[in-house]
Amino acid sequence: MPTPLTVDPIRLAHGADAIADAARELAAFGWTPATSSNFSMRLDDHLAAITISGRDKGRLGRDDIMVVDMHGKAVGSDARPSAETGLHTQIYRRFPDANVVLHTHSRTQSVASRLFAREGRIRLEGWELQKAISGYTTHESVLDIPVFPNTQHMPELESRVDAWIDEGKPLYAYLIDGHGIYTWGKDMPETRRHLEALEFLIGCELDLRRLSP
Amino acid sequence: MPTPLTVDPIRLAHGADAIADAARELAAFGWTPATSSNFSMRLDDHLAAITISGRDKGRLGRDDIMVVDMHGKAVGSDARPSAETGLHTQIYRRFPDANVVLHTHSRTQSVASRLFAREGRIRLEGWELQKAISGYTTHESVLDIPVFPNTQHMPELESRVDAWIDEGKPLYAYLIDGHGIYTWGKDMPETRRHLEALEFLIGCELDLRRLSP
Amino acid sequence: MPTPLTVDPIRLAHGADAIADAARELAAFGWTPATSSNFSMRLDDHLAAITISGRDKGRLGRDDIMVVDMHGKAVGSDARPSAETGLHTQIYRRFPDANVVLHTHSRTQSVASRLFAREGRIRLEGWELQKAISGYTTHESVLDIPVFPNTQHMPELESRVDAWIDEGKPLYAYLIDGHGIYTWGKDMPETRRHLEALEFLIGCELDLRRLSP
Amino acid sequence: MPTPLTVDPIRLAHGADAIADAARELAAFGWTPATSSNFSMRLDDHLAAITISGRDKGRLGRDDIMVVDMHGKAVGSDARPSAETGLHTQIYRRFPDANVVLHTHSRTQSVASRLFAREGRIRLEGWELQKAISGYTTHESVLDIPVFPNTQHMPELESRVDAWIDEGKPLYAYLIDGHGIYTWGKDMPETRRHLEALEFLIGCELDLRRLSP
């Protein structure tokens, strides 16, 4: 029988504050409309802090953050974790260096996901800001962001993410059709940088499409 | 002869503050240009608080809110209720669970109402954020927002709204051609969520239309 | 020999503060880029307060406002009034009820002025917000905003404005090609309402044009 | 052997504060996504203050600014200057009157640079706001902003800038393909005015292109 998981209260408080601060700023950008979006941070090898479902992301406090294990099960709380919690913990299981996952729902992200759903990916190339993604050093690189079909059945989505990774394709972020983006990084600043860069680049692609004859 | 209606001053003060707070935030989004828009809250079975006509929605105080009965007649005030007051009280009469009505006038709402006026509705489907409307649990649902012709004669508008409801069609919100949106909910947070989700989704539909070949 | 004009210092201070407050808010909307735009208020039958040329409109103080007579000549100051001062005083001479003139330079205004320069006007009809213009009571009215050719020679512009008025056509605002908008009203709130409504409606017309097949 | 360069600490503190203040405002406009952009100010004939690579431009303090000589070499610091430092010092070497260089990375700038890369320039004419560029007195002037191909090899970019100047063509700013804008001026207010005017005008050109049949 496994030892019950215990939560380090200091680490949790720091994690919850970092999530709430980021959420407030992302909400101010308009990327979390109508209580959408969710955010998490790895606490240790077994646990992560994550936003409770349905809260206004512009006004999060410590009470709006809960703890889950790496399979998305609530730890020390009766609150309901977001239906999408499994997508967060999947990232922590598959990418040992990922310590923060941000999922937002901007208009640019939602619209782009619909437009590129059939192709199954958005290809970014020729943009200087690709260099904001860790590991990219030149605008001459190619950065593919997959667009997965939407479903209310999370295991189906998780298996599509697993399949992409198992094929050995690089993965820094993904979109879900009619929904938003998931991206991650080693810490909050890197993940914020990834999110801002991807929102910017996807917006640029939409603008180019509008403007090209 | 009916007993005269009396206003609970505490309840009115709370309602007025809730309306003023919401109005300030919606004004900051730019959804209430040029003193447009109006907001109300049900006080009890017979009375509602509603914004007085023509005030700047970004700077409302308690003096900018008045009380009307469920037929839109002023109660305990000489102020002029908005010409559109009847559309608010109609919602309270027809939907017993509705306790807040928000009417805004964003550029997205105005433009979409013109574009979809001939079809008489905007059909939303395939968007995850449809789940922000109470009762919707999947992006695979269909959400129709009717667009009614504009008129300065309110009873004509009211009878179109009645006709839609009497046909048994679901109604969560409606647009008026060349004008804005009306939406409602059981309380202020739910109504705010409905309004934010609809503004977002209608904006997405316009973007898709711009971007589709 | 005429009595020299004297400035009421209290009235000037109030006018300057009202101009600076409005300018700060309009600058925050992004409608006064790169020190463009100018604002004025009638002080009495002979004098008006107006912004000094080239100042950042987001940070105006009393020292950034000067007094001119109704022909645009500086009174009690060595500062240089804006080259466009004559367009302000023309409005005060031609419209005795106008007490405030606001000229801004938003991207919407500049782009629309180029697009509609050949037609010489933007025609607004079918929009509820036309009712924000004093004297308009229905969306079924027609509201024409002339677009005059740009010139660095102000008397040429003034004579075009005079010609439009002399033909008996209503005039609530005008655009200058490649430039911005001028609008006015009986006081600051009415003029702000006119400006916000026109910015909104011109933006809606551009959106409709983008979206119509 | 040359005398070692010494930094005037007062002048450096003033320069760093001016850079941090401007950066905060430009970040709030959304023109510095994902730690992009860099800013500098000439300190004297031999030295300039410049932002250290990779910092969040919305939260700069004095520790985020370093000193370089006119060939981009760090002075009195082990910090890594931005890879693009050479583009800043080139401007100071070639234009003795330039004392501030601002490089931002807005969506408008990035998209326009892609669209106009083949033509190698954006031509601005007919806009009143061209007068915000020092030396321009009429909208009837022509203002060409070159668009240079992107490269991670800075000397190649520098030689393209040199070639443009050596041909005797006027140069007030340039874009790099898939990247952002560089502009400069005699002091911070003039350079800010140039940057705001160019962002505005390039945005107007994109809008006109979207709207023209």
Side-chain angles (χ1 to χ4, degrees):
Chain A
M1 194 182 130
T3 318
L5 295 168
T6 57
V7 181
D8 176 340
I10 302 289
R11 187 172 286 215
L12 173 58
H14 285 171
D17 290 352
I19 288 171
D21 287 349
R24 197 178 316 111
E25 293 181 27
L26 299 173
F29 294 162
W31 299 357
T32 69
T35 79
S36 67
S37 305
N38 38 68
F39 311 115
S40 71
M41 184 177 277
R42 191 199 292 268
L43 296 172
D44 58 30
D45 287 353
H46 304 290
L47 300 173
I50 190 164
T51 44
I52 295 178
S53 187
R55 307 290 167 94
D56 179 344
K57 298 306 179 292
R59 304 162 197 251
L60 294 183
R62 288 185 183 174
D63 291 346
D64 300 308
I65 315 288
M66 64 184 296
V67 178
V68 292
D69 69 17
M70 285 303 161
H71 298 276
K73 221 180 121 238
V75 172
S77 164
D78 295 329
R80 184 166 64 91
S82 162
E84 293 147 1
T85 299
L87 299 176
H88 289 249
T89 55
Q90 177 181 35
I91 296 303
Y92 296 128
R93 290 195 315 269
R94 299 294 313 246
F95 296 108
D97 293 339
N99 292 308
V100 172
V101 178
L102 299 177
H103 161 49
T104 57
H105 198 121
S106 77
R107 185 161 146 186
T108 293
Q109 292 155 16
S110 283
V111 168
S113 71
R114 291 287 288 259
L115 278 174
F116 291 89
R118 199 172 310 169
E119 293 173 52
R121 62 144 206 243
I122 302 179
R123 171 154 290 186
L124 300 166
E125 46 188 337
W127 300 105
E128 179 72 11
L129 214 64
Q130 293 168 221
K131 289 166 59 185
I133 307 298
S134 285
Y136 281 75
T137 57
T138 169
H139 66 284
E140 289 170 327
S141 54
V142 170
L143 175 57
D144 277 342
I145 310 298
V147 183
F148 297 121
N150 197 6
T151 168
Q152 299 303 320
H153 184 58
M154 288 302 113
E156 199 178 317
L157 250 172
E158 288 173 44
S159 69
R160 287 186 190 274
V161 176
D162 275 331
W164 181 282
I165 300 171
D166 291 342
E167 280 180 47
K169 298 191 221 170
L171 187 69
Y172 305 90
Y174 59 84
L175 288 160
I176 305 171
D177 183 15
H179 198 152
I181 202 167
Y182 280 80
T183 190
W184 50 88
K186 69 177 179 191
D187 54 20
M188 187 60 84
E190 184 179 281
T191 312
R192 282 285 304 270
R193 202 181 70 221
H194 287 173
L195 180 59
E196 280 185 38
L198 292 168
E199 167 76 12
F200 180 92
L201 291 171
I202 294 169
C204 285
E205 286 291 337
L206 294 189
D207 281 348
L208 269 192
R209 190 160 161 152
R210 272 187 200 104
L211 282 156
S212 299
Chain B
M1 192 184 128
T3 318
L5 296 166
T6 57
V7 181
D8 176 340
I10 302 289
R11 187 171 288 215
L12 174 57
H14 286 171
D17 289 351
I19 288 171
D21 287 349
R24 195 178 318 109
E25 293 181 27
L26 299 173
F29 294 162
W31 300 357
T32 68
T35 80
S36 67
S37 306
N38 38 68
F39 310 116
S40 72
M41 184 177 277
R42 192 199 291 269
L43 296 172
D44 59 30
D45 286 352
H46 305 290
L47 299 174
I50 190 164
T51 43
I52 296 178
S53 187
R55 307 289 167 93
D56 179 343
K57 299 306 179 292
R59 304 163 198 250
L60 294 184
R62 289 184 183 174
D63 291 347
D64 300 308
I65 315 288
M66 64 183 296
V67 178
V68 291
D69 68 19
M70 285 303 161
H71 297 277
K73 220 180 122 236
V75 172
S77 164
D78 296 330
R80 185 167 64 90
S82 162
E84 293 147 2
T85 298
L87 299 175
H88 289 249
T89 55
Q90 176 181 36
I91 296 303
Y92 296 128
R93 290 195 315 269
R94 299 295 311 248
F95 296 108
D97 293 340
N99 291 308
V100 171
V101 178
L102 299 177
H103 161 48
T104 57
H105 198 121
S106 77
R107 185 161 145 184
T108 293
Q109 293 156 14
S110 283
V111 168
S113 71
R114 291 286 290 259
L115 278 173
F116 291 89
R118 201 173 308 170
E119 293 173 52
R121 63 146 205 243
I122 301 180
R123 171 154 289 186
L124 299 167
E125 47 188 336
W127 300 106
E128 179 73 10
L129 213 64
Q130 294 169 220
K131 290 166 60 185
I133 307 298
S134 285
Y136 281 75
T137 57
T138 169
H139 66 284
E140 290 169 326
S141 54
V142 170
L143 174 57
D144 277 343
I145 310 299
V147 183
F148 297 121
N150 197 7
T151 167
Q152 299 304 318
H153 184 58
M154 288 303 112
E156 198 179 317
L157 249 171
E158 288 172 44
S159 69
R160 288 184 189 274
V161 176
D162 276 331
W164 181 281
I165 300 171
D166 291 342
E167 280 179 46
K169 298 190 220 170
L171 187 68
Y172 305 90
Y174 59 84
L175 288 161
I176 304 172
D177 183 15
H179 199 153
I181 201 167
Y182 281 80
T183 191
W184 49 88
K186 69 177 180 193
D187 54 20
M188 187 59 86
E190 184 180 281
T191 311
R192 282 286 304 269
R193 201 182 70 222
H194 287 172
L195 180 59
E196 279 186 38
L198 292 168
E199 167 76 13
F200 180 90
L201 292 172
I202 293 169
C204 286
E205 287 291 338
L206 295 190
D207 281 348
L208 269 192
R209 190 160 162 153
R210 271 188 200 103
L211 282 155
S212 300
Chain C
M1 192 182 131
T3 317
L5 295 166
T6 58
V7 181
D8 175 342
I10 302 291
R11 185 171 288 214
L12 173 58
H14 286 170
D17 289 351
I19 288 171
D21 288 349
R24 197 178 316 110
E25 294 181 27
L26 299 173
F29 294 163
W31 299 357
T32 67
T35 80
S36 67
S37 305
N38 38 68
F39 309 116
S40 71
M41 184 176 276
R42 190 199 293 266
L43 296 172
D44 58 31
D45 287 353
H46 305 291
L47 299 174
I50 190 164
T51 44
I52 295 177
S53 187
R55 306 289 167 95
D56 179 343
K57 298 307 179 292
R59 305 162 198 250
L60 294 183
R62 289 186 183 172
D63 291 348
D64 301 308
I65 314 288
M66 64 184 295
V67 178
V68 292
D69 68 18
M70 286 303 162
H71 297 277
K73 221 180 122 237
V75 172
S77 164
D78 295 331
R80 186 167 64 91
S82 162
E84 293 147 2
T85 298
L87 299 175
H88 289 248
T89 54
Q90 177 182 35
I91 297 302
Y92 296 128
R93 290 194 315 268
R94 298 296 310 248
F95 296 108
D97 294 339
N99 291 308
V100 171
V101 178
L102 299 177
H103 161 49
T104 57
H105 199 122
S106 77
R107 186 161 143 184
T108 293
Q109 292 155 16
S110 283
V111 169
S113 71
R114 290 286 288 258
L115 279 173
F116 291 89
R118 202 174 306 171
E119 293 174 52
R121 61 144 207 245
I122 301 179
R123 171 155 289 187
L124 300 166
E125 47 187 337
W127 300 105
E128 180 72 10
L129 213 63
Q130 293 168 222
K131 290 166 61 187
I133 307 299
S134 285
Y136 281 75
T137 58
T138 169
H139 66 283
E140 290 169 326
S141 55
V142 170
L143 174 56
D144 277 343
I145 310 299
V147 183
F148 297 121
N150 196 8
T151 168
Q152 300 304 320
H153 184 59
M154 288 303 113
E156 198 179 316
L157 251 171
E158 289 172 44
S159 69
R160 288 185 190 273
V161 175
D162 276 330
W164 181 282
I165 300 170
D166 292 341
E167 280 180 47
K169 297 192 220 168
L171 187 68
Y172 304 89
Y174 60 83
L175 287 161
I176 304 171
D177 184 14
H179 198 153
I181 202 168
Y182 280 80
T183 190
W184 48 89
K186 69 176 179 193
D187 54 20
M188 186 60 85
E190 183 179 282
T191 312
R192 282 286 303 269
R193 201 180 72 221
H194 287 173
L195 180 59
E196 280 186 38
L198 292 168
E199 168 75 14
F200 180 91
L201 292 171
I202 294 170
C204 286
E205 287 291 337
L206 294 190
D207 281 349
L208 269 191
R209 191 162 161 151
R210 271 186 200 106
L211 283 155
S212 300
Chain D
M1 193 182 130
T3 318
L5 295 166
T6 57
V7 181
D8 175 340
I10 303 291
R11 187 172 286 214
L12 174 57
H14 286 170
D17 289 352
I19 288 172
D21 288 350
R24 197 178 316 110
E25 294 181 26
L26 299 173
F29 295 161
W31 299 358
T32 68
T35 80
S36 66
S37 306
N38 38 67
F39 310 115
S40 71
M41 184 178 276
R42 191 199 293 268
L43 296 172
D44 59 30
D45 286 352
H46 304 290
L47 299 174
I50 190 164
T51 45
I52 295 177
S53 187
R55 307 289 167 94
D56 179 343
K57 298 307 179 291
R59 305 162 197 252
L60 294 184
R62 288 186 183 173
D63 290 347
D64 300 308
I65 315 288
M66 64 183 295
V67 178
V68 291
D69 69 18
M70 286 303 161
H71 297 276
K73 221 179 122 238
V75 173
S77 164
D78 296 330
R80 186 167 63 91
S82 161
E84 294 147 1
T85 299
L87 300 175
H88 290 248
T89 54
Q90 177 182 34
I91 296 302
Y92 296 128
R93 289 193 315 268
R94 298 295 311 247
F95 296 108
D97 293 340
N99 292 308
V100 171
V101 178
L102 299 177
H103 161 49
T104 58
H105 199 121
S106 77
R107 185 161 145 186
T108 293
Q109 291 155 16
S110 283
V111 169
S113 72
R114 291 287 288 259
L115 279 173
F116 291 88
R118 201 172 309 170
E119 294 173 52
R121 61 143 207 246
I122 302 179
R123 171 155 290 187
L124 300 166
E125 48 188 336
W127 300 105
E128 179 73 10
L129 213 62
Q130 293 168 223
K131 289 165 60 185
I133 307 299
S134 286
Y136 281 75
T137 57
T138 170
H139 66 284
E140 290 170 326
S141 54
V142 170
L143 174 57
D144 277 342
I145 310 298
V147 183
F148 297 121
N150 197 7
T151 168
Q152 300 302 322
H153 184 58
M154 287 304 113
E156 198 177 317
L157 251 171
E158 289 172 44
S159 70
R160 287 185 190 275
V161 176
D162 276 331
W164 181 281
I165 301 171
D166 291 341
E167 281 181 46
K169 298 192 220 169
L171 186 70
Y172 304 90
Y174 59 85
L175 288 161
I176 304 171
D177 183 16
H179 198 153
I181 202 168
Y182 280 79
T183 190
W184 49 89
K186 69 177 180 194
D187 55 21
M188 187 61 84
E190 184 180 281
T191 311
R192 282 286 303 269
R193 202 180 72 222
H194 288 173
L195 180 58
E196 280 187 36
L198 291 168
E199 168 76 13
F200 180 91
L201 292 172
I202 293 169
C204 286
E205 286 291 336
L206 294 189
D207 281 349
L208 268 192
R209 190 160 161 153
R210 272 187 200 103
L211 282 155
S212 300

